[in-house]
């Protein structure tokens, strides 16, 4: 009897040891246990897709992640389709995000907020510029705001592709800080940044607000004149363009992109992505990507990203109210 009992105990011990060694998705120390999926909530091409594919390539080329990776394009609804998909995945999937994950909700276009996900990182920013025609009477941003303060309807301001985006709200914040009645501003809405440039060059508008990358080439060629940027310090190669801060307005307005995971990720899973993404952004390949795309590093880890998104939500909410887009 003792012989059989001993054999039974031995078998149980072997089975338990084998189970503990196999790991799985419940064992965070073994994470990741499956292929990695990076969701670009847009069609191929553009900033979200480019960010996702760059992350995939560098993770692979630099041997940061050994698992297979693929980019899943989920276009539609200004990110809505891709982010709805992300909600039902596990920690092997993450998605690119931007300010739209906040403003879509504030504008009543989505029920989702960043709180429905796990913020993993803020990665990059593009800065936003204000530009005029090269022969414009305005030599700096303050000149523009001074006229708008006297008569908010006196200038036509080009923006794309809609009100409530970063290009629009960056200008609203600068004008608000200067005491302009921003509810009276006359924005002309275009489909793309290229259309905005065309409108400015064709004298169809007086002022344009757009990303620095959309205006830089024309500025350097003397075809338009950038008169302000929302960066925290002068931009390399554009030192002749003063920041809003240099012009006396305390404003820093990033056009950021980040990544977020599904809800209810474990601390161990978050820690894995913190370590992995922080390694990514230090690589030479990532630094080259930033330069080639006119992006700037704006890295924050998961904890910092969560605080940042809360601050951004408060700021966007107030700016949208100031602009008369929400009550």
């Amino acid at each position: 009897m003792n012989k059989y009992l001993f054999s039974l105990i031995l078998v149980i011990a072997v089975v338990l040891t084998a189970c503990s060694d196999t790991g799985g998705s419940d064992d965070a120390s073994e994470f990741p246990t499956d292929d990695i999926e990076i969701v670009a909530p847009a069609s191929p091409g553009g900033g979200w897709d480019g960010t996702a594919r760059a992350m995939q390539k560098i993770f692979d080329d630099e041997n940061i992640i050994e698992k297979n990776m693929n980019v899943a394009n989920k276009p539609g609804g200004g990110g809505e389709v891709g982010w709805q998909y992300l909600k039902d995945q596990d920690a092997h999937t993450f998605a690119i995000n931007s300010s739209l994950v906040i403003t879509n909700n504030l504008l009543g276009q989505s029920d989702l907020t960043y709180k429905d996900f796990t913020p993993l990182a803020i990665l990059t920013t593009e800065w936003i510029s204000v530009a005029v025609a090269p022969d414009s009477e305005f030599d700096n941003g303050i000149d523009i705001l001074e006229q708008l303060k006297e008569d908010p309807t006196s200038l036509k301001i080009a923006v794309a592709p809609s009100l409530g985006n970063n290009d629009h709200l960056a200008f609203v914040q600068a004008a608000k800080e200067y005491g302009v009645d921003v509810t009276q501003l006359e924005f002309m809405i275009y489909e793309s940044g290229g259309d905005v440039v065309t409108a400015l060059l064709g004298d169809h508008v007086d002022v344009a607000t757009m990303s620095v990358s959309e205006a830089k080439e024309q500025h350097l060629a003397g075809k338009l004149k950038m008169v302000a940027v929302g960066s925290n310090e002068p931009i390399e190669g554009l030192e002749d363009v003063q920041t809003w801060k240099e012009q006396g307005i305390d404003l820093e307005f990033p056009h950021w992109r980040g990544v977020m995971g599904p809800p209810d990720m474990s601390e161990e899973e978050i820690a894995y992505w913190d370590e992995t993404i922080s390694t990514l952004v230090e690589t030479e390949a990532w630094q080259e990507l930033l330069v080639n795309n006119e992006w700037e590093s704006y890295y924050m880890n998961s904890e910092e990203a969560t605080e940042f998104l809360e601050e951004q939500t408060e700021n966007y909410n107030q700016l949208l109210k100031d602009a008369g887009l929400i009550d």
Side-chain angles (χ1 to χ4, degrees), residues 17-63:
T17 301
C19 290
S20 66
D21 288 343
T22 57
S25 59
D26 292 333
D27 184 357
S29 65
E30 296 296 326
F31 183 85
T33 59
D34 205 348
D35 294 346
I36 302 299
E37 183 177 49
I38 307 173
V39 177
S43 300
W48 283 344
D49 180 68
T51 302
R53 294 185 185 280
M55 294 183 77
Q56 176 197 31
K57 185 176 189 305
I58 297 171
F59 276 143
D60 186 45
D61 290 350
E62 302 289 331
N63 296 315

Side-chain angles (χ1 to χ4, degrees), residues 53-117:
R53 294 185 185 280
M55 294 183 77
Q56 176 197 31
K57 185 176 189 305
I58 297 171
F59 276 143
D60 186 45
D61 290 350
E62 302 289 331
N63 296 315
I64 299 171
I65 295 177
E66 296 182 357
K67 295 292 184 181
N68 291 327
M69 288 168 282
N70 70 285
V71 172
N73 290 97
K74 304 285 184 181
E80 178 79 5
V81 172
W83 297 330
Q84 287 285 2
Y85 170 81
L86 176 65
K87 275 190 68 177
D88 298 325
Q89 308 308 308
D90 66 15
H92 293 85
T93 299
F94 66 83
I96 311 301
N97 66 7
S98 72
S99 63
L100 290 181
V101 77
I102 298 172
T103 56
N104 284 356
N105 176 265
L106 294 176
L107 290 167
Q109 299 167 357
S110 172
D111 292 331
L112 296 175
T113 76
Y114 77 90
K115 294 181 180 180
D116 293 309
F117 303 95

Side-chain angles (χ1 to χ4, degrees), residues 31-290:
F31 183 85
T33 59
D34 205 348
D35 294 346
I36 302 299
E37 183 177 49
I38 307 173
V39 177
S43 300
W48 283 344
D49 180 68
T51 302
R53 294 185 185 280
M55 294 183 77
Q56 176 197 31
K57 185 176 189 305
I58 297 171
F59 276 143
D60 186 45
D61 290 350
E62 302 289 331
N63 296 315
I64 299 171
I65 295 177
E66 296 182 357
K67 295 292 184 181
N68 291 327
M69 288 168 282
N70 70 285
V71 172
N73 290 97
K74 304 285 184 181
E80 178 79 5
V81 172
W83 297 330
Q84 287 285 2
Y85 170 81
L86 176 65
K87 275 190 68 177
D88 298 325
Q89 308 308 308
D90 66 15
H92 293 85
T93 299
F94 66 83
I96 311 301
N97 66 7
S98 72
S99 63
L100 290 181
V101 77
I102 298 172
T103 56
N104 284 356
N105 176 265
L106 294 176
L107 290 167
Q109 299 167 357
S110 172
D111 292 331
L112 296 175
T113 76
Y114 77 90
K115 294 181 180 180
D116 293 309
F117 303 95
T118 304
L120 294 177
I122 304 299
L123 296 173
T124 64
T125 183
E126 291 184 82
W127 297 110
I128 299 167
S129 67
V130 175
V132 296
D135 59 352
S136 171
E137 61 182 300
F138 303 118
D139 293 321
N140 55 58
I142 296 299
D143 288 344
I144 295 171
L145 298 184
E146 186 63 35
Q147 177 162 328
L148 291 173
K149 191 172 183 178
E150 294 179 9
D151 182 359
T153 66
S154 61
L155 300 175
K156 292 180 180 178
I157 308 161
V159 64
S162 64
L163 298 183
N165 68 2
N166 279 332
D167 294 349
H168 171 236
L169 295 182
F171 192 93
V172 167
Q173 184 167 350
K176 171 191 169 185
E177 295 289 339
Y178 200 73
V180 175
D181 181 357
V182 295
T183 64
Q184 301 298 313
L185 294 176
E186 293 202 3
F187 287 96
M188 309 297 290
I189 303 171
Y190 294 86
E191 290 187 3
S192 69
D195 293 331
V196 167
V197 171
T198 299
L200 188 61
L201 297 181
D203 291 326
H204 301 300
V205 295
D206 304 294
V207 179
T209 174
M210 57 187 143
S211 68
V212 167
S213 62
E214 292 169 326
K216 181 178 180 180
E217 183 178 345
Q218 301 290 349
H219 172 80
L220 294 176
K223 295 182 179 180
L224 60 73
K225 179 169 57 175
M226 297 168 63
V227 293
V229 290
S231 54
N232 51 6
E233 57 186 26
I235 296 173
E236 184 176 353
L238 292 170
E239 288 84 1
D240 61 316
V241 183
Q242 288 189 320
T243 67
W244 282 117
K245 286 186 176 181
E246 290 177 306
Q247 297 181 53
I249 295 180
D250 187 16
L251 181 150
E252 177 184 331
F253 203 107
H255 177 30
W256 53 269
R257 291 191 186 95
V259 294
M260 61 189 183
D264 303 321
M265 287 176 59
S266 69
E267 291 184 5
E268 291 80 10
E269 289 165 343
I270 294 171
Y272 169 83
W273 284 117
D274 269 345
E275 179 179 355
T276 303
I277 295 172
S278 66
T279 300
L280 168 87
V281 300
E282 292 298 326
T283 62
E284 183 176 339
W286 185 258
Q287 302 306 314
E288 291 177 0
L289 175 80
L290 299 182

